[in-house]
Amino acid sequence: MLLLSALADGKTDVLNLLHSDDITYMLGALTALGIPYEYDQDGKKVTVNGCGGKIPSEGAELFLGNAGTAMRPLTAALCVGNGKFVLDGTARMRERPIIDLVDALQQLNIDITCSDTGCPPVVINASGIPGGKTKVSLRSASPHALSHMGLRTRRGVSSGYTACPAPGQRQDFVAVSFRAPHGFALRRE
C-alpha cells in the first residue's frame, strides 16, 4: 500500500500499519526517493504525498534488508523513473531469486540487471518504460508477476503481460490487458 500511495496522485492515508522491518525499509526507500510522508507510529498511520507516477529522485541506492515485499515492487516501479537505481539487501536477500521479474522488464527494453545468480543486487538505468508486452514466468513466487502490474509507460499506457507456468505445473495462464490511462482486466485462459 505504501508504494501504491507513493505513486498515486495526492495524499493517501494508510491506516493500521504494522510496525515491521519490511515497512521500515519501504519508508526508508520512500525517503531516499524524495517521496514525502508523515508517520504516526502511535496511531499506526502514514500519510503519503503521492508523486503522480513520477519518481522525484534521479537515482538512488536503496538497502532493503531482507524485505522482498519492498524489493520486488520497487524493482518494477523504479523503471518509470529516470536515473540509476541500485536495490540491494542482506546476504539472505542476495539468495532470493528476482530473475523472472528482471527478465520480464528486459523484454520491455528496460536497462535492468541483477547478479549472475539471478538474485539482487538489481541495477536499473531508468528512462521510463517505452511500453509493449512481456511474458512473466510463474516458476517462482507470484509477487514477481504482481509487481509488474500497473506500470505506466512513457505514453501513459500500461504494458500487458501473460504469465506462463514452469514445466510440470498446471497449464494456467493469466492474461492481463491494460487500458489507457487507468485500469486493467484479468482473464484466466
Side-chain angles (χ1 to χ4, degrees):
M1 286 305 300
L2 290 172
L3 184 57
L4 291 175
S5 300
L7 294 172
D9 288 317
K11 289 186 176 188
T12 303
D13 290 331
V14 181
L15 306 175
N16 298 317
L17 197 63
L18 177 67
H19 185 70
S20 67
D21 284 347
D22 286 24
I23 297 298
T24 300
Y25 285 117
M26 181 61 82
L27 290 172
L30 296 184
T31 298
L33 296 171
I35 299 169
Y37 63 87
E38 296 173 20
Y39 186 17
D40 174 10
Q41 289 183 345
D42 294 332
K44 297 181 182 179
K45 174 183 168 184
V46 175
T47 301
V48 181
N49 296 309
C51 65
K54 296 178 182 161
I55 307 296
S57 173
E58 292 190 11
E61 292 191 19
L62 305 176
F63 181 81
L64 301 171
N66 194 29
T69 58
M71 178 66 73
R72 289 178 181 86
L74 281 166
T75 296
L78 291 177
C79 293
V80 303
N82 286 293
K84 182 176 181 179
F85 298 95
V86 178
L87 292 78
D88 203 356
T90 63
R92 176 63 184 115
M93 176 60 82
R94 287 181 169 205
E95 296 173 347
R96 297 176 66 183
I98 196 164
I99 189 67
D100 292 333
L101 177 58
V102 169
D103 284 347
L105 293 166
Q106 286 174 337
Q107 292 173 46
L108 294 171
N109 295 315
I110 294 166
D111 183 0
I112 181 173
T113 59
C114 60
S115 74
D116 292 340
T117 63
C119 302
V122 175
V123 178
I124 305 164
N125 292 299
S127 59
I129 299 174
K133 292 185 179 181
T134 186
K135 291 185 178 182
V136 179
S137 171
L138 293 180
R139 69 179 170 192
S140 57
S142 61
H144 293 298
L146 297 175
S147 298
H148 192 62
M149 295 171 58
L151 296 178
R152 296 183 64 144
T153 68
R154 288 192 294 245
R155 294 185 304 258
V157 180
S158 293
S159 54
Y161 68 84
T162 302
C164 306
Q169 290 183 337
R170 289 182 12 183
Q171 295 298 308
D172 289 338
F173 295 85
V174 179
V176 181
S177 303
F178 290 96
R179 301 182 193 125
H182 305 291
F184 60 90
L186 293 174
R187 184 181 75 248
R188 186 172 193 169
E189 298 178 341

